[in-house]
Amino acid sequence: MDVAAALDRLAPRLSPIATGAVNARRLSGGASLETWAFDLDDGTPLILRRRPEGAAMRETALPLASEAALIRAADAAGAPAPSVVHVCAPDDDLGEAYVMRRLEGETLGRRIVRDEAFAGVRPGLARRCGEVLARIHAVPTDGLPELATSDARGELERYEAIYRQLDARRPILEAAFRWLEAIAPPPPERPVLVHGDFRNGNLMIHPTDGLVGVLDWELAHMGDPAEDLGWICVNSWRFGEWRKPVGGFGDYADLLEGYGGGISLDRVRFWQALGSLKWGVMCLMMYSSFASGQDRSIERAMIGRRTSETEIDLVKLMETA
């Protein structure tokens, strides 16, 4: 498919004064989704997110039209999100896709936690993440696309089933499953919209404006608000700055203060531990796909080795519980 040509034809529908699209370039090479940056000839900077025909879709991933609807709902609730300007129809010749405004900033976690350019905004990022999550979790659920609902025990059962299918023998993961099963909190009284992948790496951070956009909504669902708060605290998303539990740039107290109360640190730390366990299982899955020959990319093999990192995290969490 000639994506650039299709975007050029679509341009007049995206802006009343545009006649074409220029500078189309693919930004990512994911297995299931593509991201393209392009500009309209009236100067409007945009992003195309599309699923190529025949691409595999993750079991828990949303259709892109649903993803676009959630971004619009979050935007309307005051959460920083890229404005969706168009959800593609079949006659747009782009397949399953949508177009959104392009934000300016950085998404690479290692740069966000270390580069001097972000030194001025880092101290306020944890609190800001709490504020943004509070807005996302307050999105009215009436009118949202159909979403799956999950809770702590359901997530534990799902990931243990995956782990058993992999036929792995990892004593620390075995111990973590039993430990988390024993302390799992009950479901929340009222499930909320959960982003599902709110972490350093999926946040657009500007050197002066801070958090300007929450990206990658494909794993959104209904569930426990502490899931999002715990996920951003997983050590794997701190990019080496392990002393700062929130994304490698902040502390628990700032995150919870920004959120405004209602969730205990113990509940957040439970979901942080479950997040480490889930990521460990995901790393095993990626190695399995490499070892079986299904995906021989070096990336899969390298990520597979990171299971040991999550085991170190889990030992520390179990020792300090």
Side-chain angles (χ1 to χ4, degrees):
M1 174 185 289
D2 190 338
V3 172
L7 290 172
D8 194 55
R9 294 191 296 270
L10 180 63
R13 299 179 61 184
L14 303 178
S15 169
I17 59 173
T19 60
V22 297
N23 302 325
R25 63 272 189 200
R26 185 173 173 180
L27 300 182
S28 66
S32 60
L33 293 174
E34 295 177 358
T35 301
W36 292 72
F38 68 102
D39 302 289
L40 301 181
D41 58 9
D42 66 0
T44 305
L46 297 172
I47 289 286
L48 170 75
R49 186 166 165 86
R50 70 181 293 266
R51 192 185 321 277
E53 185 177 355
M57 183 173 174
R58 292 176 64 175
E59 179 185 352
T60 53
L62 293 172
L64 289 183
S66 297
E67 185 178 318
L70 294 181
I71 293 174
R72 282 173 165 163
D75 189 19
S83 298
V84 175
V85 299
H86 182 72
V87 178
C88 294
D91 60 358
D92 292 327
D93 297 325
L94 285 163
E96 185 188 355
Y98 64 89
V99 177
M100 55 187 168
R101 292 274 183 172
R102 190 164 77 241
L103 301 174
E104 295 298 325
E106 180 62 76
T107 60
L108 292 178
R110 188 170 296 276
R111 292 181 182 174
I112 292 165
V113 301
R114 295 186 179 182
D115 281 11
E116 184 62 28
F118 299 95
V121 299
R122 273 197 295 269
L125 281 180
R127 180 186 175 90
R128 179 60 175 152
C129 284
E131 294 171 349
V132 168
L133 283 173
R135 290 185 179 274
I136 291 172
H137 296 162
V139 168
T141 56
D142 293 342
L144 291 182
E146 183 177 353
L147 298 171
T149 300
S150 69
D151 59 25
R153 292 196 180 279
E155 286 294 281
L156 272 170
E157 290 171 4
R158 185 161 73 88
Y159 277 88
E160 183 164 7
I162 295 170
Y163 171 75
R164 299 299 173 199
Q165 290 172 0
L166 294 170
D167 196 28
R169 298 289 188 272
R170 312 287 296 209
I172 293 173
L173 299 189
E174 297 276 357
F177 276 116
R178 301 289 71 81
W179 171 57
L180 291 171
E181 182 181 51
I183 64 171
E189 292 183 8
R190 184 180 66 86
V192 302
L193 174 63
V194 172
H195 179 274
D197 202 8
F198 189 96
R199 61 177 177 84
N200 193 4
N202 283 339
L203 306 175
M204 180 72 75
I205 308 297
H206 190 276
T208 56
D209 299 331
L211 202 171
V212 296
V214 181
L215 310 178
D216 291 348
W217 289 73
E218 64 177 322
L219 300 181
H221 56 276
M222 301 298 295
D224 189 331
E227 179 180 349
D228 277 337
L229 291 159
W231 187 241
I232 194 172
C233 297
V234 170
N235 193 24
S236 298
W237 318 136
R238 300 179 199 173
F239 298 92
E241 299 297 322
W242 57 271
R243 294 179 179 84
K244 295 291 186 180
V246 182
F249 46 65
D251 297 317
Y252 294 117
D254 294 325
L255 177 71
L256 291 173
E257 184 179 352
Y259 194 78
I263 297 179
S264 70
L265 178 58
D266 284 346
R267 196 173 185 110
V268 171
R269 285 176 62 85
F270 167 86
W271 279 101
Q272 175 188 334
L274 179 50
S276 289
L277 178 57
K278 288 167 59 175
W279 178 236
V281 173
M282 291 181 215
C283 291
L284 287 176
M285 291 171 62
M286 294 186 198
Y287 174 73
S288 178
S289 69
F290 172 82
S292 68
Q294 181 182 352
D295 185 339
R296 297 297 290 178
S297 67
I298 296 299
E299 179 187 21
R300 287 291 182 264
M302 291 176 63
I303 293 177
R305 295 182 64 187
R306 298 191 65 185
T307 301
S308 59
E309 296 177 11
T310 68
E311 290 173 326
I312 294 170
D313 298 339
L314 287 164
V315 166
K316 182 176 180 181
L317 289 165
M318 286 188 281
E319 286 182 340
T320 57

